Amino acid sequence: MQHIEAILFDLGNTLIYFDGDWPEVLAEARYAALNAFHRAGLPVELDPFLNIFRETLENNYARREDDLIERTTTSLLVEVLETLGYRNIPAKVMDTARKAFYDVTQARWQPETDTLSTVQNLRQQGFRLGILSNAADDGDVQVLVDKAGVRPYMDFVLTSARFGQRKPSPAIFYAALAHWQLAPEQVAMVGDTLNADILGANQIGMWSVWITRRTNPALAQFLDDLMQPDWVISTLDELLARLNQQRPPSS
């Protein structure tokens, strides 16, 4: 196996973490979107909107895990409004509501304490870096990347919202590799999610690195071979030492 030349990072729970209660913050975000529609002059009723929006998001979370198709938050908002009888809403109004939704959640994402030092050191060592993130909104991810301060160290940021398919779809991994024109065995995927980051990398022959800081490392013993990571790390600080060892994964 060739030496690793580039590293793909997941974003959430890998480079950044969510500081808050997700259901509570999500409820606040839905309400912020409703207020944005009200300010735009749409008399959307509170309870029907909040309930349908919540159900639409929950249904989408389940559906996308099966078909790996990423439906954007804007498209889901359009679906909610059409259910309530509102059609052909101007794009500017939709984007204002989308931004209001994500302004709430973005405030709760914080960079891990070792994120900046890790990406700086990797760059100094000559590694190429990129981000591959499952997310329903590309703009949200771009804001979070800038908020974390890692943009200067990344060659690209690819989201499932922009690509249309989610990890572990091989297509989105190959799209990321195409930015570097590297073979899978020259690239490592670092992420916290076994059935997205690790499975996706293993399916196409990339190195897979599972970071367990915000997950349960005992999960690995219950999974099949395709979800077994090549390396397990508990913090990003451990990554550079493992990469420098360049030990081939066990077969």
Side-chain angles (χ1 to χ4, degrees), residues 177-192:
L177 295 179
H179 282 269
W180 291 314
Q181 296 185 332
L182 292 176
E185 58 267 26
Q186 296 173 285
V187 182
M189 177 75 217
V190 181
D192 69 300

Side-chain angles (χ1 to χ4, degrees), residues 8-103:
L8 277 175
F9 287 100
D10 175 48
L11 185 61
N13 293 326
T14 298
L15 297 178
I16 62 176
Y17 69 97
F18 193 78
D19 183 18
D21 182 88
W22 180 248
E24 290 182 4
V25 175
L26 200 55
E28 182 184 347
R30 292 193 296 268
Y31 193 80
L34 173 67
N35 284 337
F37 286 130
H38 284 172
R39 290 193 298 270
L42 287 178
V44 183
E45 293 185 41
L46 186 149
D47 286 340
F49 175 84
L50 294 180
N51 290 334
I52 294 173
F53 193 13
R54 175 182 53 78
E55 292 171 1
T56 300
L57 289 175
E58 290 174 354
N59 291 338
N60 181 60
Y61 294 153
R63 181 170 52 169
R64 68 187 187 180
E65 293 303 313
D66 291 330
D67 61 19
L68 300 183
I69 295 173
E70 192 69 84
R71 298 161 186 88
T72 67
T73 300
T74 298
S75 71
L76 298 177
L77 279 170
V78 168
E79 181 181 327
V80 171
L81 290 181
E82 288 181 346
T83 300
L84 295 170
Y86 297 93
R87 291 175 172 78
N88 302 317
I89 306 303
K92 184 177 181 180
V93 172
M94 297 303 303
D95 195 57
T96 299
R98 179 200 66 81
K99 186 176 184 301
F101 179 90
Y102 282 109
D103 281 347

Side-chain angles (χ1 to χ4, degrees), residues 96-251:
T96 299
R98 179 200 66 81
K99 186 176 184 301
F101 179 90
Y102 282 109
D103 281 347
V104 174
T105 60
Q106 287 162 7
R108 308 308 292 268
W109 285 102
Q110 303 296 333
E112 298 285 6
T113 57
D114 53 1
T115 290
L116 273 180
S117 60
T118 296
V119 297
Q120 288 169 347
N121 287 333
L122 289 170
R123 271 298 194 185
Q124 290 172 0
Q125 292 286 334
F127 290 100
R128 306 184 203 181
L129 308 179
I131 290 175
L132 182 59
S133 176
N134 274 353
D137 191 83
D138 181 73
D140 176 49
V141 170
Q142 303 302 334
V143 168
L144 293 174
V145 168
D146 288 331
K147 180 181 176 182
V150 298
R151 174 84 61 184
Y153 307 99
M154 300 297 163
D155 294 332
F156 63 89
V157 177
L158 178 60
T159 67
S160 57
R162 179 169 291 276
F163 186 74
Q165 296 182 37
R166 293 172 58 80
K167 298 177 289 186
S169 168
I172 194 169
F173 282 88
Y174 282 121
L177 295 179
H179 282 269
W180 291 314
Q181 296 185 332
L182 292 176
E185 58 267 26
Q186 296 173 285
V187 182
M189 177 75 217
V190 181
D192 69 300
T193 308
L194 288 165
N195 63 356
D197 304 308
I198 305 308
L199 174 60
N202 288 348
Q203 283 182 139
I204 68 168
M206 292 173 58
W207 295 61
S208 57
V209 183
W210 188 32
I211 184 164
T212 61
R213 170 162 40 201
R214 301 194 180 276
T215 189
N216 182 1
L219 291 174
Q221 64 182 306
F222 303 107
L223 301 173
D224 62 33
D225 290 343
L226 274 179
M227 289 193 195
Q228 295 295 334
D230 294 321
W231 296 337
V232 179
I233 58 175
S234 59
T235 67
L236 291 171
D237 283 335
E238 301 171 38
L239 181 60
L240 186 58
R242 297 300 298 267
L243 288 166
N244 284 337
Q245 291 172 5
Q246 295 285 288
R247 293 175 179 170
S250 58
S251 56

